[in-house]
Amino acid sequence: TTGGKVTVSNTYVKTGAVILLSRQSFAGTPTTPGDLKVDTIVNSTSFVITSTLTTDRGVIGYVIFNPAP
């Protein structure tokens, strides 16, 4: 993430999806990373990851579980 917030482009994400986040690396100050959450999902377009720490930067892995059709 950059500045605590990032938009992830992904055409497979659907409204109502459950997205699990996993921090792969951390770079920021203070040295304790913030909590991560998914803020917004735009159907078949993107989703937003936000950290509680605005200076949070790093690499986040994710897995998307879309609702059944």
Side-chain angles (χ1 to χ4, degrees):
T1 61
T2 301
K5 186 174 184 178
V6 66
T7 299
V8 179
S9 295
N10 188 303
T11 57
Y12 295 105
V13 69
K14 303 295 180 198
T15 302
V18 173
I19 302 173
L20 302 181
L21 305 174
S22 175
R23 187 179 299 280
Q24 306 297 306
S25 68
F26 173 71
T29 54
T31 56
T32 304
D35 295 325
L36 301 173
K37 68 176 184 173
V38 175
D39 266 341
T40 307
I41 296 174
V42 178
N43 193 48
S44 300
T45 304
S46 64
F47 61 95
V48 176
I49 300 172
T50 302
S51 172
T52 55
L53 181 64
T54 58
T55 57
D56 201 341
R57 299 183 320 275
V59 177
I60 307 300
Y62 63 88
V63 176
I64 299 171
F65 294 92
N66 283 317

